């Protein structure tokens, strides 16, 4: 009799522990899925290779809108433009015509490579040319005291941060 009572208590205790462990595991897995779904971090839409090719800390310092010093060009650098990921756009601010724009494919060590959206390509600043049969803009960049200097093979344009 004593043995059965001890066995029954042990069985109930084991059952309660199993239910508790199972519930804890289910809640932990559900919490991780919710966390992943709600974290809209830049890395979530970047492929593994693009994560290695884009310095996210450097990108954060470049984000914003800029106007060319004494020129018609307007620059936009966005972290996630229309769910396309990091994006760069240079367009004619006066006429509103698209210059060129596209996804940033590489951004490190003073070089930015933009995959040009061929449907939106019209022109580039004087002296700039697209590379790779018109598919890429390979530009040098440097932070200045009041903005960014973008250049293509020595032809540079200084952009000043907009007050927007």
């Amino acid at each position: 009799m004593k043995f059965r009572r001890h066995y029954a208590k042990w069985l109930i205790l084991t059952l309660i522990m199993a239910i508790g462990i199972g519930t804890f595991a289910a809640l932990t897995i559900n919490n991780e899925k919710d966390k992943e779904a709600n974290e809209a971090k830049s890395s979530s839409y970047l492929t593994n290779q693009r994560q290695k090719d884009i310095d996210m800390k450097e990108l954060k310092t470049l984000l914003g809108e800029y106007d060319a010093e004494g020129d018609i060009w307007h620059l936009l650098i966005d972290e996630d433009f229309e769910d396309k990921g990091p994006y760069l756009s240079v367009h004619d601010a006066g006429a509103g015509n698209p210059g060129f724009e596209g996804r940033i494919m590489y951004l490190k060590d003073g070089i930015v490579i933009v995959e040009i959206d061929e449907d939106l390509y019209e022109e580039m600043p004087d002296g700039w040319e697209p590379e790779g049969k018109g598919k890429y803009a390979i530009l040098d960049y440097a932070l200045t005291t009041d903005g960014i200097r973008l250049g293509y093979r020595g032809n540079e344009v200084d952009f000043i941060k907009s007050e927007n």
Side-chain angles (χ1 to χ4, degrees), residues 10-20:
W10 180 82
L11 190 58
I12 290 173
L13 183 62
T14 304
L15 184 61
I16 290 172
M17 286 177 47
I19 291 172

Side-chain angles (χ1 to χ4, degrees), residues 116 118 130-136:
I116 297 173
E118 294 177 22
E131 300 278 343
K133 298 181 183 177
K135 293 184 179 190
Y136 301 98

Side-chain angles (χ1 to χ4, degrees), residues 1 73 78 102 121 140 158:
M1 189 77 156
W73 297 105
D78 197 341
Y121 177 81
D140 299 321
D158 287 324

Side-chain angles (χ1 to χ4, degrees), residues 58-130:
E58 186 72 13
L59 177 65
K60 294 251 188 239
T61 64
L62 302 174
L63 296 177
E65 293 191 43
Y66 303 83
D67 292 310
E69 198 173 293
D71 207 344
I72 60 172
W73 297 105
H74 181 78
L75 168 67
L76 167 71
I77 300 175
D78 197 341
E79 185 176 17
D80 185 18
F81 183 77
E82 296 178 353
D83 294 328
K84 295 179 183 178
Y87 203 79
L88 182 140
S89 168
V90 177
H91 67 272
D92 181 339
N97 297 331
F100 72 95
E101 61 185 78
R103 295 183 321 149
I104 297 173
M105 302 305 291
Y106 183 91
L107 188 132
K108 274 187 181 176
D109 305 322
I111 297 173
V112 60
I113 300 175
V114 178
E115 181 182 35
I116 297 173
D117 185 334
E118 294 177 22
D119 295 335
L120 300 174
Y121 177 81
E122 282 201 15
E123 63 181 320
M124 292 181 131
D126 290 335
W128 293 15
E129 295 292 327

